[in-house]
Amino acid sequence: MDKVRAKKHLGQHFLTDENIAKKIADTLTLEGYKTVLEIGPGMGVLTKYLLEKPLTTYVIEIDTESVTYLQNHYLKLSNRILSYDFLKYDVRQIFKEEPFAIIGNFPYNISSQIVFRTLEMRDQIPEFSGMFQKEVAERICEKPGTKAYGILSVLTQAFYDAEYLFTVSEKVFNPPPKVKSGVLRLRRKENYQLPCDEKLFFNVVKTAFNQRRKTLRNSLKTFNLPEVLREDTIFGKRPEQLSVQDFISLTQSIATALSTEN
Ligand code: SAH
């Protein structure tokens, strides 16, 4: 068979525009890594441009039909085709401690999970770029004070500088998705260690946004914070009003309050 049959449950929408494929591959700055991992290569429209770069390219693909296609058409990939679910595979088996970049025209049904997994592995991932559903790409890059600003924006921007690069029409896919797509690039900050308890930071951000219409005074009740702290003006705000820096300061105050209490 000459082409992979698109499977809806795997989020398969194959990009048909070579110029856009090249443009996405060219979003990689090549700074700080020598290896790239493409998630969801499908029939390799992006892969062929990655293979032209001074990088070692690995691909990870869940669909065995696509894997067979890649094995037959991209001999240069040789044994660097990983036939696995990215969300379940421990890439450290391959990369050990080496830094690597992530790229892809991602399966949109798991795009947030791909970002969360990248954040977990941030020590090894200096750069991340690729295509999402437009709204998701915008959300990741969004600034405070907007409706779209949320967990994904704060957690990503705590560690990465996020740039929305360009929008892609639904017409350049086969089959066409119902939504437009957006390409973004994340570059890890030079100093990406947070000056607070990182686990508590994740917890505070998630808890606050889980009830995003409430003030922090109400949404953070479960932390059992002392009354004096909850009187601080920041607790009268809603999570979407807080910058990454505000969330860091908030985490620091909460950590201090919790430790002096016991
Ligand atoms: N990059 C290709 C295909 C995009 S469609 C192109 O631009 O044409 C998304 C691809 O992600 C599909 O090939 C799909 O099989 C793959 N995919 C879906 N879920 C995946 C997962 N959990 N791990 C790895 N690949 C996955």
Side-chain angles (χ1 to χ4, degrees), residues 11 17 37 65 99 120 127 139 141 165 181 198 207 216 220 238:
D17 186 319
L37 174 65
E65 192 186 346
E120 279 167 22
E127 191 165 273
R139 184 184 299 277
C141 303
L165 299 175
S181 299
E198 294 188 345
T207 311
L216 300 179
L220 299 184
R238 292 172 181 184

Side-chain angles (χ1 to χ4, degrees), residues 176-225:
K178 291 203 176 68
V179 290
K180 291 200 183 303
S181 299
V183 175
L184 60 65
R185 176 171 57 214
L186 308 177
R187 304 215 62 213
R188 197 176 58 200
K189 295 183 179 184
E190 208 149 306
N191 271 324
Y192 68 96
Q193 311 288 349
L194 304 187
C196 65
D197 178 335
E198 294 188 345
K199 226 174 138 185
L200 184 62
F201 175 81
F202 274 80
N203 198 351
V204 169
V205 173
K206 285 183 180 167
T207 311
F209 277 107
N210 277 341
Q211 294 178 285
R212 65 176 293 143
R213 282 198 294 273
K214 293 194 177 169
T215 62
L216 300 179
R217 196 166 291 130
N218 289 314
S219 61
L220 299 184
K221 265 196 177 129
T222 47
F223 284 88
N224 286 322
L225 298 171

Side-chain angles (χ1 to χ4, degrees), residues 12-152:
Q12 289 183 336
H13 295 279
F14 298 112
L15 182 63
T16 55
D17 186 319
E18 294 291 332
N19 291 325
I20 294 175
K22 182 172 186 311
K23 209 169 148 188
I24 295 173
D26 286 344
T27 60
L28 293 175
T29 66
L30 311 179
E31 284 166 34
Y33 53 88
K34 294 197 164 56
T35 302
V36 64
L37 174 65
E38 183 190 352
I39 301 172
M43 285 185 279
V45 65
L46 203 58
T47 321
K48 65 166 96 67
Y49 297 104
L50 297 173
L51 288 168
E52 290 175 0
K53 297 194 179 286
L55 290 171
T56 306
T57 300
Y58 283 82
V59 301
I60 185 160
E61 173 57 65
I62 199 171
D63 176 32
T64 49
E65 192 186 346
S66 295
V67 167
T68 306
Y69 182 96
L70 293 162
Q71 284 165 341
N72 293 335
H73 289 79
Y74 298 94
L75 300 179
K76 261 179 102 178
L77 272 176
S78 125
N79 58 351
R80 294 189 303 278
I81 304 175
L82 311 171
S83 182
Y84 297 102
D85 177 345
F86 170 72
L87 297 177
K88 295 195 181 137
Y89 184 73
D90 182 4
V91 296
R92 274 162 292 205
Q93 288 182 51
I94 304 281
F95 298 140
K96 313 283 186 240
E97 310 278 299
E98 284 290 306
F100 61 95
I102 285 185
I103 196 166
N105 164 20
F106 302 111
Y108 296 171
N109 50 338
I110 57 163
S111 54
S112 306
Q113 291 169 74
I114 291 174
V115 176
F116 285 125
R117 205 154 155 95
T118 299
L119 296 178
E120 279 167 22
M121 293 190 288
R122 59 189 176 275
D123 285 331
Q124 255 178 295
I125 307 179
E127 191 165 273
F128 176 107
S129 71
M131 188 144 62
F132 291 89
Q133 179 180 331
K134 182 169 183 266
E135 286 72 22
V136 176
E138 285 172 344
R139 184 184 299 277
I140 294 169
C141 303
E142 198 56 86
K143 295 294 169 213
T146 59
K147 242 182 161 178
Y149 183 71
I151 297 178
L152 214 49

